[in-house]
Every structure is written in structure tokens, then in C-alpha cells.
Amino acid sequence: MSFEAWLAFFVASWVISLSPGAGAIASMSCGLQYGFWRGYWNAVGLQIALVLQIAVVAAGLGAVLATSELAFGLIKWFGVAYLLWLAWKQWQTLPQALDDSAAPRPIGRPLSLVLRGFVVNASNPKAIVFILAVLPQFLDPTKPLLLQYVEMGATMVVVDLLVMAGYTGLAARVLRLLRTPRQQRLVNRSFATMFAGAAALLATVKRAAT
């Protein structure tokens, strides 16, 4: 992969990661609930799913998913259901009154947060189709493809980790500005609405016509 091609892909990776989506919403939600260091485990799960999606595309299975209406639909509707479940959980989150002292945050298990991020990303079939459409544009067919996929995968993961660190950290800092249960309830329900909105958008996604 030439430096020029990598640089173009590097810029594209930033645009892709900064675009608001379910992953960004999940990162902000976890940062708000658990703080930066604990909530950032969600971003790890997002990247594991991203690596899996890139591997699926590299193995040629992405083309099967893109042309299989059944496989596409199963993954899509599972993703819709999971996002709606996250919306319900966020809506039900109980607020805690905070004072000026360092109030403790609820403890989330790292493994459960990793799994949460993984499912959010892995249950979006459009992501695989999107990767299938974008990555080949930067491939040099005269050079080993596996190494190029590894380079692009590493680039996407590093960029996405940085972006999700920003989303998670921003939300974690916002938590310290919330002093009343009413304010926290408003934010929790705002995130619940965003999760539901992401589910609604995913429900409208259709498999590309072949």
C-alpha cells in the first residue's frame, strides 16, 4: 500500500469515525454512566467487531452477506432489537444526586461493556457492506492483499479508538456538570431517544440491489 493511498484512507477513516452513529452514541452513554476509564471498554468491543467485519470482507464473505437477503435481514433486525433494548435500559437508568465532591459512578464490568460495544457494531450489516464498498478502492491488486487489509484495519482501529476516546471522555466530563436528578434523567432519556433513533434508521436500511 503506497503512502499516498494510505494517507487518503487515513483521512477517510477520520470522516467515517467522526460520523455520528450507534457506536458514538454507545460510547457517550458508557462515558456518562461509568466515567472514562471504565466506559472506554465499550470502545474496545467496538473495535473487536470492526476487526471481525474487516476480516469477513477480506475473506470474501462480505460479498455473500451483501447478496443474501436472509442473512442481511437477520443481522439487521437483531441489531434493531438490541438498540431498542439499550434505549429501554437507558430510559430506566436511575439518576443520582451529585454534590461538589467526587461522587462515585456505578461500576460496570469490563467484559459486559466490551460485549455491549461488540454487539452494537457487529449487529449492523450495513457496516460490512460499507467496508466492502470502501476498502477495495484503496487496494493495490499488484501487491499482497492480506498485508494491505491489515494496514487498513489497523488504521481504522487506531482512528476509531481516538474518536471514541473523545466521545467517551466528553460524556464523562459532562457527568460532573449534572447536579440534580432531573438533569440526569433528561440526559438519560435523551440518550435513550438517540438509541431508538439509531434503531429506526437501521430498520430502514435495505440490502443493495444486485
Side-chain angles (χ1 to χ4, degrees):
M1 191 176 190
S2 67
F3 177 75
E4 292 76 12
W6 176 84
L7 187 60
F9 182 75
F10 178 70
V11 173
S13 295
W14 278 97
V15 174
I16 294 168
S17 293
L18 286 170
S19 301
I25 297 171
S27 293
M28 289 188 289
S29 172
C30 287
L32 182 70
Q33 289 183 278
Y34 306 110
F36 177 79
W37 294 111
R38 182 71 64 169
Y40 197 54
W41 284 105
N42 172 83
V44 175
L46 292 173
Q47 305 320 308
I48 294 175
L50 177 59
V51 170
L52 175 63
Q53 290 167 336
I54 294 174
V56 165
V57 171
L61 299 177
V64 176
L65 176 61
T67 56
S68 172
E69 185 173 354
L70 176 60
F72 190 92
L74 287 174
I75 296 176
K76 182 183 81 170
W77 290 111
F78 174 78
V80 169
Y82 186 69
L83 288 173
L84 288 175
W85 181 79
L86 289 179
W88 180 80
K89 292 286 289 184
Q90 191 76 44
W91 189 277
Q92 295 294 320
T93 299
L94 297 176
Q96 293 180 333
L98 301 178
D99 54 28
D100 292 332
S101 63
R105 293 183 170 96
I107 297 177
R109 294 181 180 179
L111 183 59
S112 66
L113 294 175
V114 170
L115 181 61
R116 171 174 170 164
F118 175 83
V119 175
V120 166
N121 250 6
S123 61
N124 184 0
K126 192 68 175 178
I128 294 181
V129 177
F130 180 78
I131 292 172
L132 181 65
V134 172
L135 264 62
Q137 299 181 34
F138 297 92
L139 291 174
D140 184 347
T142 65
K143 297 179 180 179
L145 296 181
L146 178 59
L147 179 59
Q148 294 181 75
Y149 274 116
V150 170
E151 291 173 345
M152 288 190 289
T155 300
M156 289 188 73
V157 166
V158 170
V159 169
D160 205 52
L161 280 172
L162 292 173
V163 171
M164 294 308 148
Y167 281 129
T168 306
L170 178 63
R173 291 182 64 84
V174 167
L175 179 62
R176 288 306 180 197
L177 302 178
L178 304 176
R179 301 300 181 188
T180 68
R182 181 177 179 275
Q183 290 172 324
Q184 293 178 58
R185 187 180 297 110
L186 178 62
V187 172
N188 285 331
R189 293 185 174 179
S190 296
F191 274 109
T193 302
M194 286 190 283
F195 274 124
L201 287 175
L202 182 56
T204 65
V205 169
K206 296 182 179 179
R207 182 177 58 85
T210 57

